[in-house]
Structures are given as structure tokens and as C-alpha cells.
Amino acid sequence: MAPNWIFDNNLKPFFEILAMFCSCKIDQDDLDTIYSEVKKTDYEKDVWFEYEYSEGLELKVAQDIGSSVIFVDVLADEGLKAKIAVAIEILQIYRLI
């Protein structure tokens, strides 16, 4: 799946939704690490944070500094692609907090 974007305040729901899709658990320690690592990213400089849920789902995210957007690049098996595409579309329209 090509890089796409979500609103930055939807980062937590995005990671939680993807965890649900692959029956993985994500806890507050994971989220704290994710937030810390995402702060070090920069889409314009091609600096991404990579996170692997399982062998069937890998995720890269990078903030667009100066905006409220986080770019996402998801590598998933065919069964997850449609679900993830819908989740991304929702997270581009609504701000889930």
C-alpha cells in the first residue's frame, strides 16, 4: 500500500485499530514508545518509524512537520488491505480521541 496519511491526533486509534485487525495487543508502554519514536521522524527527510505487529502486518509512520498530518505506509497481506484502507479513510475525516 502506498504511503497515505492520517490526522496526528488519530495516531493512537490507528495503532489500536491495526492491533485489533491482527489480533495483537498494544498497551500504554507500546504507545509511549510509538509517540516517542514518531517525534523523531520527518516525512520530508524520509525518516520513518517502523513497527511490526506480526508477520502479516508492518507499519511505517512519519510526521509531516508543521502540519497535523502523519504519513503512514502499511505492508499487509491481501486480507487486511481493504480493512486498513477503510480505517485510513475514516481517520482522514474524523478526529478520534
Side-chain angles (χ1 to χ4, degrees):
M1 188 177 283
N4 217 317
W5 64 273
I6 61 171
F7 287 116
D8 58 0
N9 60 351
N10 283 338
L11 188 62
K12 178 182 178 195
F14 184 61
F15 272 86
E16 291 173 336
I17 289 166
L18 294 184
M20 179 183 66
F21 286 166
C22 67
S23 300
C24 297
K25 293 189 184 225
I26 192 163
D27 61 23
Q28 191 59 49
D29 288 339
D30 295 323
L31 292 170
D32 290 344
T33 299
I34 290 164
Y35 286 128
S36 174
E37 293 299 317
V38 169
K39 288 180 183 177
K40 301 174 189 174
T41 66
D42 186 335
Y43 179 74
E44 292 293 320
K45 294 180 180 177
D46 198 29
V47 178
W48 295 76
F49 167 63
E50 297 181 26
Y51 191 84
E52 185 174 338
Y53 285 91
S54 63
E55 290 187 26
L57 179 57
E58 296 177 27
L59 173 67
K60 291 183 356 179
V61 296
Q63 64 180 334
D64 185 26
I65 297 174
S67 78
S68 61
V69 167
I70 296 199
F71 285 93
V72 298
D73 189 8
V74 179
L75 176 62
D77 60 38
E78 289 300 316
L80 289 176
K81 283 185 180 180
K83 290 180 183 180
I84 293 169
V86 171
I88 289 172
E89 286 184 40
I90 291 168
L91 297 172
Q92 289 176 342
I93 298 169
Y94 299 100
R95 295 180 187 260
L96 307 177
I97 299 176

Coordinates of all heavy atoms in Angstrom, one line a residue:
M1 N 0.9 -1.2 0.0 CA 0.0 0.0 0.0 C 0.9 1.2 0.0 O 1.9 1.3 0.8 CB -0.9 0.0 1.3 CG -2.0 1.0 1.3 SD -3.0 0.8 2.8 CE -4.1 -0.5 2.3
A2 N 0.6 2.2 -0.8 CA 1.4 3.4 -0.9 C 1.2 4.3 0.3 O 0.2 4.1 1.0 CB 1.0 4.2 -2.2
P3 N 2.2 5.1 0.6 CA 2.1 6.0 1.8 C 0.8 6.8 1.7 O 0.4 7.3 0.6 CB 3.3 6.9 1.7 CG 4.3 6.1 1.0 CD 3.5 5.3 0.0
N4 N 0.1 6.9 2.8 CA -1.1 7.7 2.9 C -1.0 8.6 4.1 O 0.1 8.7 4.7 CB -2.3 6.7 3.0 CG -3.5 7.2 2.3 OD1 -3.8 8.4 2.4 ND2 -4.2 6.3 1.6
W5 N -2.0 9.1 4.6 CA -1.9 10.0 5.8 C -3.1 9.8 6.7 O -4.2 9.4 6.3 CB -1.7 11.4 5.4 CG -2.9 12.0 4.7 CD1 -3.2 11.9 3.3 CD2 -4.1 12.7 5.2 NE1 -4.4 12.5 3.1 CE2 -4.9 13.0 4.2 CE3 -4.4 13.0 6.6 CZ2 -6.2 13.6 4.4 CZ3 -5.6 13.7 6.8 CH2 -6.5 14.0 5.7
I6 N -2.9 10.2 8.0 CA -4.0 10.4 9.0 C -3.7 11.6 9.7 O -2.6 12.2 9.7 CB -4.0 9.1 9.9 CG1 -2.7 9.0 10.7 CG2 -4.4 7.9 9.2 CD1 -2.8 8.0 11.8
F7 N -4.7 12.1 10.5 CA -4.5 13.3 11.4 C -3.6 12.8 12.5 O -3.8 11.7 13.0 CB -5.8 13.8 11.9 CG -6.6 14.6 10.9 CD1 -7.8 14.2 10.5 CD2 -6.1 15.8 10.4 CE1 -8.6 14.9 9.5 CE2 -6.8 16.5 9.4 CZ -8.0 16.1 9.0
D8 N -2.7 13.7 13.0 CA -1.8 13.3 14.0 C -2.5 12.9 15.3 O -2.0 12.0 16.0 CB -0.7 14.3 14.3 CG -1.3 15.7 14.7 OD1 -2.5 15.8 14.7 OD2 -0.5 16.6 14.9
N9 N -3.6 13.5 15.6 CA -4.3 13.0 16.9 C -5.0 11.7 16.7 O -5.6 11.2 17.7 CB -5.2 14.2 17.4 CG -6.3 14.6 16.5 OD1 -6.3 14.2 15.3 ND2 -7.2 15.4 17.0
N10 N -5.0 11.1 15.6 CA -5.6 9.8 15.4 C -4.5 8.7 15.4 O -4.8 7.5 15.1 CB -6.3 9.7 14.0 CG -7.7 10.4 14.1 OD1 -8.2 10.6 15.1 ND2 -8.2 10.8 12.9
L11 N -3.3 9.0 15.8 CA -2.3 8.0 15.8 C -2.6 6.9 16.8 O -2.5 5.7 16.4 CB -0.9 8.7 16.2 CG 0.3 7.8 16.1 CD1 0.5 7.3 14.6 CD2 1.5 8.5 16.6
K12 N -3.0 7.2 18.0 CA -3.4 6.1 18.9 C -4.5 5.2 18.4 O -4.3 4.0 18.4 CB -3.7 6.7 20.3 CG -4.1 5.6 21.3 CD -4.5 6.2 22.6 CE -5.0 5.1 23.6 NZ -5.7 5.6 24.7
P13 N -5.6 5.8 18.0 CA -6.7 4.9 17.4 C -6.2 4.1 16.2 O -6.6 3.0 16.1 CB -7.8 5.9 17.0 CG -7.6 7.1 17.8 CD -6.1 7.2 18.0
F14 N -5.3 4.7 15.4 CA -4.8 3.9 14.2 C -4.1 2.7 14.7 O -4.3 1.6 14.2 CB -4.0 4.8 13.4 CG -3.5 4.2 12.1 CD1 -4.4 3.8 11.1 CD2 -2.1 4.1 11.9 CE1 -3.9 3.2 10.0 CE2 -1.7 3.5 10.7 CZ -2.6 3.0 9.7
F15 N -3.1 2.9 15.6 CA -2.4 1.7 16.1 C -3.3 0.7 16.8 O -3.1 -0.5 16.6 CB -1.2 2.2 17.0 CG 0.0 2.5 16.3 CD1 0.2 3.8 15.8 CD2 1.0 1.6 16.1 CE1 1.4 4.1 15.1 CE2 2.2 1.9 15.5 CZ 2.4 3.1 14.9
E16 N -4.2 1.2 17.5 CA -5.2 0.3 18.2 C -6.0 -0.5 17.2 O -6.3 -1.7 17.4 CB -6.0 1.0 19.2 CG -5.2 1.5 20.4 CD -6.0 2.4 21.3 OE1 -7.0 3.1 20.9 OE2 -5.6 2.5 22.5
I17 N -6.5 0.2 16.2 CA -7.3 -0.5 15.2 C -6.5 -1.5 14.4 O -7.0 -2.7 14.2 CB -7.9 0.6 14.2 CG1 -9.0 1.4 14.8 CG2 -8.5 -0.1 12.9 CD1 -9.3 2.7 14.1
L18 N -5.3 -1.2 14.1 CA -4.5 -2.2 13.4 C -4.2 -3.4 14.3 O -4.2 -4.5 13.8 CB -3.2 -1.6 12.9 CG -3.3 -0.5 11.8 CD1 -2.0 -0.1 11.3 CD2 -4.2 -1.0 10.6
A19 N -4.0 -3.1 15.6 CA -3.7 -4.2 16.5 C -5.0 -5.2 16.6 O -4.9 -6.4 16.6 CB -3.4 -3.7 17.9
M20 N -6.2 -4.5 16.6 CA -7.4 -5.3 16.6 C -7.5 -6.2 15.3 O -7.9 -7.3 15.4 CB -8.6 -4.4 16.7 CG -9.9 -5.1 16.7 SD -11.3 -3.9 16.7 CE -11.1 -3.1 15.1
F21 N -7.1 -5.6 14.2 CA -7.2 -6.3 12.9 C -6.4 -7.6 12.9 O -6.7 -8.6 12.2 CB -6.8 -5.4 11.7 CG -7.8 -4.4 11.3 CD1 -7.4 -3.3 10.5 CD2 -9.1 -4.4 11.8 CE1 -8.4 -2.4 10.1 CE2 -10.1 -3.5 11.4 CZ -9.7 -2.4 10.6
C22 N -5.2 -7.5 13.5 CA -4.3 -8.7 13.5 C -4.3 -9.4 14.8 O -3.4 -10.3 15.1 CB -2.9 -8.3 13.1 SG -2.0 -7.2 14.3
S23 N -5.3 -9.2 15.7 CA -5.4 -9.9 17.0 C -4.2 -9.8 17.8 O -3.8 -10.7 18.5 CB -5.8 -11.3 16.7 OG -7.0 -11.4 16.0
C24 N -3.6 -8.6 17.8 CA -2.4 -8.3 18.6 C -2.8 -7.4 19.8 O -3.9 -6.8 19.7 CB -1.3 -7.6 17.8 SG -0.7 -8.5 16.5
K25 N -2.0 -7.4 20.8 CA -2.3 -6.5 21.9 C -1.3 -5.3 21.8 O -0.1 -5.5 21.5 CB -2.1 -7.2 23.2 CG -3.2 -8.3 23.4 CD -3.1 -8.9 24.8 CE -4.1 -10.0 24.9 NZ -4.9 -10.0 26.1
I26 N -1.8 -4.2 22.2 CA -0.9 -3.0 22.2 C -1.3 -2.3 23.5 O -2.5 -2.1 23.8 CB -1.1 -2.1 21.0 CG1 -0.1 -1.0 20.9 CG2 -2.5 -1.5 20.9 CD1 0.1 -0.4 19.6
D27 N -0.3 -2.0 24.4 CA -0.6 -1.4 25.7 C 0.0 0.0 25.8 O 0.6 0.5 24.8 CB -0.1 -2.3 26.8 CG 1.4 -2.5 26.8 OD1 2.2 -1.7 26.2 OD2 1.9 -3.5 27.4
Q28 N -0.1 0.6 26.9 CA 0.3 2.0 27.0 C 1.8 2.1 26.9 O 2.3 3.1 26.3 CB -0.1 2.6 28.4 CG 0.1 4.1 28.5 CD -0.7 4.9 27.4 OE1 -1.8 4.7 27.2 NE2 0.0 5.8 26.8
D29 N 2.6 1.1 27.3 CA 4.0 1.2 27.1 C 4.4 1.2 25.7 O 5.3 1.9 25.2 CB 4.7 0.0 27.8 CG 4.7 0.1 29.3 OD1 4.6 1.2 29.9 OD2 4.9 -0.9 30.0
D30 N 3.7 0.4 24.9 CA 3.9 0.4 23.4 C 3.6 1.7 22.8 O 4.3 2.3 22.0 CB 3.0 -0.7 22.7 CG 3.3 -2.1 23.1 OD1 4.5 -2.4 23.3 OD2 2.4 -2.9 23.2
L31 N 2.4 2.3 23.3 CA 2.0 3.6 22.7 C 3.0 4.7 23.1 O 3.3 5.6 22.3 CB 0.6 3.9 23.2 CG -0.5 3.1 22.6 CD1 -1.8 3.3 23.4 CD2 -0.6 3.3 21.1
D32 N 3.5 4.7 24.4 CA 4.5 5.6 24.8 C 5.8 5.6 23.9 O 6.3 6.6 23.5 CB 4.9 5.4 26.2 CG 3.8 5.8 27.2 OD1 2.8 6.5 26.8 OD2 3.9 5.3 28.4
T33 N 6.2 4.4 23.6 CA 7.3 4.2 22.7 C 7.0 4.7 21.3 O 7.9 5.4 20.7 CB 7.7 2.7 22.6 OG1 8.1 2.2 23.9 CG2 8.9 2.4 21.7
I34 N 5.9 4.4 20.8 CA 5.5 4.8 19.5 C 5.5 6.4 19.4 O 6.1 7.0 18.5 CB 4.1 4.3 19.1 CG1 4.2 2.8 18.9 CG2 3.5 5.0 17.9 CD1 2.9 2.0 18.9
Y35 N 4.8 7.0 20.4 CA 4.8 8.5 20.4 C 6.2 9.1 20.5 O 6.5 10.1 19.8 CB 4.0 9.0 21.6 CG 2.5 8.9 21.4 CD1 1.8 8.3 22.4 CD2 1.9 9.4 20.3 CE1 0.4 8.2 22.3 CE2 0.5 9.2 20.2 CZ -0.2 8.6 21.2 OH -1.6 8.5 21.0
S36 N 7.1 8.5 21.3 CA 8.4 9.0 21.4 C 9.2 8.8 20.1 O 9.9 9.7 19.6 CB 9.2 8.2 22.5 OG 10.5 8.5 22.5
E37 N 9.0 7.7 19.4 CA 9.7 7.4 18.2 C 9.2 8.3 17.0 O 9.9 8.7 16.1 CB 9.7 6.0 17.8 CG 10.5 5.1 18.8 CD 11.9 5.4 18.8 OE1 12.5 5.7 17.7 OE2 12.5 5.4 19.9
V38 N 7.9 8.5 17.0 CA 7.3 9.3 15.9 C 7.8 10.7 16.0 O 8.0 11.4 14.9 CB 5.7 9.2 16.0 CG1 5.1 10.3 15.0 CG2 5.3 7.8 15.6
K39 N 8.1 11.3 17.2 CA 8.6 12.6 17.3 C 9.9 12.8 16.6 O 10.3 13.9 16.3 CB 8.7 13.0 18.8 CG 7.4 13.2 19.5 CD 7.5 13.6 20.9 CE 6.2 13.7 21.6 NZ 6.3 14.0 23.0
K40 N 10.6 11.7 16.4 CA 12.0 11.7 15.8 C 11.9 11.6 14.2 O 12.9 11.6 13.6 CB 12.8 10.6 16.3 CG 13.0 10.6 17.8 CD 13.8 9.3 18.2 CE 13.8 9.2 19.7 NZ 14.4 7.9 20.1
T41 N 10.7 11.5 13.7 CA 10.5 11.2 12.3 C 10.3 12.5 11.5 O 10.0 13.6 12.1 CB 9.3 10.3 12.0 OG1 8.1 11.0 12.4 CG2 9.4 9.0 12.7
D42 N 10.5 12.5 10.2 CA 10.3 13.6 9.3 C 10.1 13.1 7.9 O 11.0 12.6 7.3 CB 11.6 14.5 9.4 CG 11.4 15.8 8.6 OD1 10.6 15.9 7.7 OD2 12.1 16.8 9.0
Y43 N 8.9 13.3 7.5 CA 8.5 12.8 6.1 C 9.3 13.4 5.0 O 9.8 12.7 4.1 CB 7.0 13.1 5.9 CG 6.5 12.6 4.5 CD1 6.3 11.3 4.3 CD2 6.3 13.5 3.5 CE1 5.9 10.8 3.0 CE2 5.9 13.1 2.3 CZ 5.7 11.7 2.0 OH 5.3 11.3 0.8
E44 N 9.6 14.7 5.1 CA 10.3 15.4 4.1 C 11.8 14.9 4.0 O 12.4 14.9 2.9 CB 10.3 16.9 4.3 CG 9.0 17.6 4.1 CD 8.5 17.5 2.7 OE1 9.4 17.7 1.8 OE2 7.3 17.3 2.5
K45 N 12.3 14.5 5.1 CA 13.7 13.9 5.1 C 13.8 12.4 5.0 O 14.8 11.8 5.1 CB 14.4 14.4 6.4 CG 14.6 15.9 6.5 CD 15.3 16.3 7.8 CE 15.5 17.8 7.9 NZ 16.1 18.2 9.1
D46 N 12.6 11.8 4.8 CA 12.5 10.4 4.6 C 13.0 9.6 5.9 O 13.7 8.6 5.8 CB 13.2 9.9 3.4 CG 12.8 8.5 3.0 OD1 11.6 8.1 3.2 OD2 13.6 7.8 2.4
V47 N 12.6 10.1 7.1 CA 13.0 9.5 8.3 C 11.7 8.9 8.9 O 10.8 9.7 9.3 CB 13.6 10.5 9.3 CG1 13.9 9.8 10.6 CG2 14.9 11.1 8.7
W48 N 11.5 7.6 8.9 CA 10.3 6.9 9.3 C 10.6 6.1 10.6 O 11.7 5.7 10.9 CB 9.9 6.0 8.2 CG 9.5 6.6 7.0 CD1 10.3 7.2 6.0 CD2 8.1 6.8 6.5 NE1 9.6 7.7 5.0 CE2 8.2 7.4 5.2 CE3 6.9 6.5 7.0 CZ2 7.1 7.8 4.5 CZ3 5.8 6.8 6.2 CH2 5.9 7.4 5.0
F49 N 9.5 5.8 11.3 CA 9.5 4.9 12.4 C 8.8 3.6 11.9 O 7.7 3.7 11.3 CB 8.7 5.5 13.6 CG 8.4 4.4 14.7 CD1 9.4 3.8 15.4 CD2 7.1 4.1 15.0 CE1 9.1 2.8 16.3 CE2 6.8 3.2 16.0 CZ 7.8 2.5 16.6
E50 N 9.4 2.5 12.1 CA 8.8 1.2 11.7 C 8.3 0.4 12.8 O 9.0 0.3 13.9 CB 9.8 0.4 10.9 CG 10.3 1.2 9.6 CD 11.3 0.4 8.8 OE1 11.3 -0.9 8.9 OE2 12.0 1.0 8.1
Y51 N 7.1 -0.2 12.7 CA 6.5 -1.0 13.7 C 5.9 -2.3 13.1 O 5.3 -2.2 12.1 CB 5.4 -0.2 14.4 CG 4.9 -0.9 15.7 CD1 5.6 -0.7 16.9 CD2 3.8 -1.7 15.7 CE1 5.1 -1.3 18.1 CE2 3.3 -2.2 16.8 CZ 3.9 -2.0 18.0 OH 3.5 -2.6 19.2
E52 N 6.2 -3.4 13.7 CA 5.7 -4.7 13.1 C 4.8 -5.3 14.2 O 5.1 -5.5 15.3 CB 6.9 -5.7 12.9 CG 6.4 -6.9 12.2 CD 7.6 -7.8 11.8 OE1 8.7 -7.3 11.6 OE2 7.3 -9.0 11.6
Y53 N 3.6 -5.5 13.7 CA 2.6 -6.2 14.6 C 2.7 -7.7 14.5 O 2.7 -8.4 15.5 CB 1.1 -5.9 14.1 CG 0.7 -4.5 14.4 CD1 0.9 -3.4 13.5 CD2 0.0 -4.2 15.6 CE1 0.5 -2.2 13.8 CE2 -0.4 -2.9 15.9 CZ -0.2 -1.9 15.0 OH -0.6 -0.6 15.3
S54 N 2.9 -8.2 13.3 CA 3.0 -9.7 13.1 C 3.6 -9.8 11.8 O 3.9 -8.8 11.1 CB 1.7 -10.4 13.2 OG 0.8 -9.9 12.1
E55 N 3.9 -11.0 11.3 CA 4.5 -11.2 10.0 C 3.6 -10.7 8.9 O 4.1 -10.5 7.8 CB 4.9 -12.7 9.8 CG 6.0 -13.1 10.7 CD 6.5 -14.5 10.4 OE1 6.3 -15.0 9.3 OE2 7.1 -15.1 11.3
G56 N 2.3 -10.6 9.2 CA 1.4 -10.2 8.1 C 1.1 -8.7 8.1 O 0.3 -8.2 7.2
L57 N 1.7 -7.9 9.0 CA 1.3 -6.5 9.1 C 2.5 -5.7 9.6 O 3.0 -5.9 10.8 CB 0.1 -6.3 10.1 CG -0.3 -4.8 10.3 CD1 -0.6 -4.1 9.0 CD2 -1.5 -4.8 11.2
E58 N 3.1 -4.8 8.8 CA 4.1 -3.9 9.1 C 3.7 -2.5 8.8 O 3.0 -2.3 7.9 CB 5.4 -4.3 8.4 CG 6.0 -5.7 8.7 CD 7.2 -6.0 7.8 OE1 7.9 -5.1 7.4 OE2 7.4 -7.2 7.6
L59 N 4.2 -1.6 9.6 CA 3.8 -0.2 9.5 C 5.0 0.7 9.6 O 5.8 0.5 10.4 CB 2.8 0.1 10.6 CG 2.3 1.5 10.8 CD1 1.4 1.9 9.7 CD2 1.5 1.6 12.1
K60 N 4.9 1.8 8.8 CA 5.9 2.8 8.9 C 5.1 4.1 9.0 O 4.1 4.3 8.3 CB 6.8 2.9 7.6 CG 7.7 1.8 7.5 CD 8.7 1.8 6.3 CE 8.5 2.9 5.3 NZ 9.5 2.9 4.2
V61 N 5.6 5.0 9.9 CA 4.9 6.3 10.0 C 6.0 7.4 10.1 O 7.1 7.2 10.6 CB 4.0 6.4 11.3 CG1 2.9 5.4 11.2 CG2 4.8 6.1 12.6
A62 N 5.6 8.6 9.6 CA 6.5 9.8 9.6 C 5.6 11.0 9.7 O 4.6 11.1 9.0 CB 7.4 9.8 8.4
Q63 N 6.0 11.9 10.6 CA 5.2 13.1 10.8 C 5.6 14.1 9.7 O 6.7 14.1 9.2 CB 5.5 13.7 12.2 CG 6.9 14.2 12.4 CD 7.1 14.8 13.8 OE1 6.2 15.3 14.4 NE2 8.3 14.7 14.3
D64 N 4.6 14.9 9.3 CA 4.8 16.0 8.4 C 5.0 17.2 9.3 O 4.0 17.8 9.7 CB 3.6 16.1 7.4 CG 3.8 17.2 6.4 OD1 5.0 17.5 6.1 OD2 2.9 17.7 5.9
I65 N 6.2 17.6 9.6 CA 6.5 18.6 10.5 C 5.8 19.9 10.0 O 5.9 20.3 8.9 CB 8.0 18.8 10.7 CG1 8.5 17.5 11.3 CG2 8.3 20.0 11.5 CD1 10.0 17.5 11.4
G66 N 5.1 20.6 11.0 CA 4.5 21.9 10.7 C 3.0 21.7 10.3 O 2.3 22.7 10.0
S67 N 2.6 20.4 10.2 CA 1.2 20.2 9.9 C 0.6 19.3 10.9 O 1.3 18.9 11.8 CB 1.0 19.6 8.5 OG 1.3 18.2 8.5
S68 N -0.7 18.9 10.7 CA -1.3 18.0 11.7 C -1.5 16.6 11.0 O -2.4 15.9 11.3 CB -2.7 18.5 12.1 OG -3.5 18.7 11.0
V69 N -0.5 16.3 10.2 CA -0.6 15.0 9.4 C 0.5 14.1 9.7 O 1.7 14.5 9.9 CB -0.6 15.4 7.9 CG1 -0.4 14.1 7.0 CG2 -1.9 16.1 7.5
I70 N 0.2 12.8 9.8 CA 1.2 11.7 9.9 C 1.0 10.8 8.7 O -0.1 10.4 8.4 CB 1.0 10.9 11.2 CG1 1.3 11.9 12.4 CG2 1.9 9.7 11.2 CD1 1.6 11.2 13.7
F71 N 2.1 10.7 7.9 CA 2.1 9.8 6.8 C 2.2 8.3 7.3 O 3.0 8.1 8.2 CB 3.2 10.1 5.8 CG 2.8 11.3 5.0 CD1 3.2 12.6 5.4 CD2 2.0 11.2 3.8 CE1 2.9 13.7 4.7 CE2 1.7 12.4 3.1 CZ 2.1 13.6 3.5
V72 N 1.5 7.4 6.7 CA 1.6 6.0 7.0 C 1.8 5.2 5.8 O 1.3 5.5 4.7 CB 0.3 5.6 7.7 CG1 0.1 6.3 9.0 CG2 -1.0 5.7 6.8
D73 N 2.6 4.2 5.9 CA 2.9 3.2 4.9 C 2.7 1.8 5.5 O 3.4 1.5 6.4 CB 4.3 3.4 4.3 CG 4.5 2.6 3.1 OD1 3.6 2.0 2.5 OD2 5.7 2.6 2.6
V74 N 1.7 1.1 5.0 CA 1.4 -0.2 5.6 C 1.7 -1.3 4.6 O 1.3 -1.2 3.4 CB -0.1 -0.2 5.9 CG1 -0.5 -1.6 6.5 CG2 -0.5 0.9 6.9
L75 N 2.3 -2.3 5.1 CA 2.6 -3.5 4.3 C 1.8 -4.6 5.0 O 2.0 -5.0 6.1 CB 4.1 -3.9 4.3 CG 4.4 -5.2 3.6 CD1 4.1 -5.1 2.1 CD2 5.9 -5.5 3.8
A76 N 0.8 -5.1 4.3 CA -0.2 -6.1 4.9 C -0.5 -7.2 3.8 O -0.4 -6.9 2.6 CB -1.4 -5.4 5.4
D77 N -0.9 -8.3 4.3 CA -1.4 -9.3 3.4 C -2.7 -8.9 2.8 O -3.4 -7.9 3.2 CB -1.5 -10.7 4.1 CG -2.4 -10.7 5.2 OD1 -3.5 -10.1 5.2 OD2 -2.1 -11.4 6.2
E78 N -3.1 -9.6 1.7 CA -4.3 -9.2 1.0 C -5.6 -9.1 1.8 O -6.4 -8.2 1.6 CB -4.5 -10.1 -0.2 CG -3.5 -10.0 -1.3 CD -3.5 -8.6 -1.9 OE1 -4.5 -8.1 -2.2 OE2 -2.4 -8.1 -2.1
G79 N -5.7 -9.9 2.8 CA -6.9 -9.9 3.7 C -7.0 -8.7 4.5 O -8.2 -8.3 4.9
L80 N -6.0 -8.0 4.8 CA -6.0 -6.8 5.6 C -6.1 -5.5 4.8 O -6.5 -4.5 5.4 CB -4.8 -6.7 6.6 CG -4.7 -7.7 7.7 CD1 -3.4 -7.6 8.4 CD2 -5.9 -7.5 8.6
K81 N -5.7 -5.5 3.6 CA -5.6 -4.3 2.8 C -6.9 -3.5 2.8 O -6.9 -2.3 2.9 CB -5.1 -4.5 1.4 CG -3.6 -4.8 1.4 CD -3.1 -5.0 0.0 CE -1.6 -5.2 0.0 NZ -1.1 -5.4 -1.3
A82 N -8.0 -4.1 2.5 CA -9.3 -3.4 2.4 C -9.7 -2.8 3.7 O -10.1 -1.7 3.8 CB -10.4 -4.3 1.9
K83 N -9.5 -3.6 4.8 CA -9.9 -3.0 6.1 C -9.0 -1.8 6.5 O -9.5 -0.8 7.0 CB -9.6 -4.1 7.2 CG -10.6 -5.3 7.2 CD -10.2 -6.2 8.3 CE -11.1 -7.5 8.3 NZ -10.7 -8.4 9.4
I84 N -7.7 -1.9 6.2 CA -6.8 -0.8 6.5 C -7.1 0.4 5.7 O -7.1 1.5 6.2 CB -5.3 -1.3 6.4 CG1 -5.0 -2.4 7.4 CG2 -4.4 -0.1 6.5 CD1 -3.7 -3.1 7.1
A85 N -7.5 0.2 4.5 CA -7.8 1.3 3.6 C -9.0 2.1 4.1 O -9.1 3.3 4.1 CB -8.1 0.9 2.2
V86 N -10.0 1.3 4.6 CA -11.2 2.0 5.2 C -10.9 2.7 6.5 O -11.3 3.8 6.7 CB -12.3 0.9 5.5 CG1 -13.5 1.5 6.3 CG2 -12.8 0.4 4.1
A87 N -10.0 2.1 7.3 CA -9.6 2.7 8.6 C -8.9 4.1 8.3 O -9.2 5.1 8.9 CB -8.7 1.8 9.4
I88 N -8.0 4.1 7.3 CA -7.3 5.3 6.9 C -8.3 6.3 6.4 O -8.2 7.5 6.8 CB -6.2 5.0 5.9 CG1 -5.1 4.2 6.5 CG2 -5.7 6.3 5.2 CD1 -4.0 3.7 5.6
E89 N -9.2 6.0 5.6 CA -10.2 6.9 5.1 C -11.0 7.6 6.3 O -11.2 8.8 6.3 CB -11.2 6.3 4.2 CG -10.6 6.0 2.8 CD -11.6 5.4 1.8 OE1 -12.7 5.9 1.8 OE2 -11.2 4.5 1.1
I90 N -11.4 6.8 7.2 CA -12.1 7.3 8.4 C -11.2 8.2 9.2 O -11.7 9.3 9.6 CB -12.6 6.1 9.3 CG1 -13.7 5.4 8.6 CG2 -13.1 6.6 10.7 CD1 -14.1 4.0 9.2
L91 N -10.0 7.9 9.4 CA -9.0 8.7 10.2 C -8.6 9.9 9.5 O -7.9 10.8 10.0 CB -7.8 7.8 10.6 CG -8.2 6.7 11.6 CD1 -7.1 5.7 11.8 CD2 -8.8 7.2 12.9
Q92 N -8.9 10.1 8.2 CA -8.6 11.3 7.4 C -9.8 12.3 7.6 O -9.7 13.4 7.3 CB -8.4 11.0 6.0 CG -7.1 10.3 5.7 CD -7.0 9.9 4.2 OE1 -8.0 9.9 3.5 NE2 -5.8 9.6 3.8
I93 N -11.0 11.8 8.0 CA -12.2 12.6 8.0 C -12.5 13.0 9.5 O -12.8 14.1 9.8 CB -13.4 11.9 7.4 CG1 -13.1 11.6 5.9 CG2 -14.6 12.7 7.6 CD1 -14.1 10.6 5.3
Y94 N -12.4 12.0 10.4 CA -12.8 12.2 11.8 C -11.6 12.3 12.7 O -10.6 11.7 12.4 CB -13.7 11.1 12.2 CG -15.0 11.0 11.4 CD1 -15.1 10.1 10.4 CD2 -16.0 11.9 11.7 CE1 -16.3 10.0 9.7 CE2 -17.2 11.8 11.0 CZ -17.3 10.9 10.0 OH -18.5 10.8 9.2
R95 N -11.7 13.0 13.7 CA -10.6 13.1 14.7 C -11.1 12.3 15.9 O -12.0 12.7 16.7 CB -10.3 14.5 15.1 CG -9.8 15.3 13.9 CD -9.4 16.7 14.3 NE -9.0 17.4 13.1 CZ -7.8 17.7 12.8 NH1 -6.8 17.3 13.6 NH2 -7.5 18.4 11.7
L96 N -10.6 11.1 16.1 CA -10.9 10.2 17.2 C -10.0 10.3 18.3 O -8.8 10.1 18.2 CB -10.9 8.7 16.7 CG -11.7 8.4 15.4 CD1 -11.5 6.9 15.0 CD2 -13.1 8.7 15.6
I97 N -10.5 10.7 19.4 CA -9.6 11.0 20.6 C -10.1 10.1 21.7 O -11.2 9.8 21.9 CB -9.7 12.4 21.0 CG1 -9.2 13.3 19.9 CG2 -8.9 12.7 22.3 CD1 -9.2 14.8 20.1

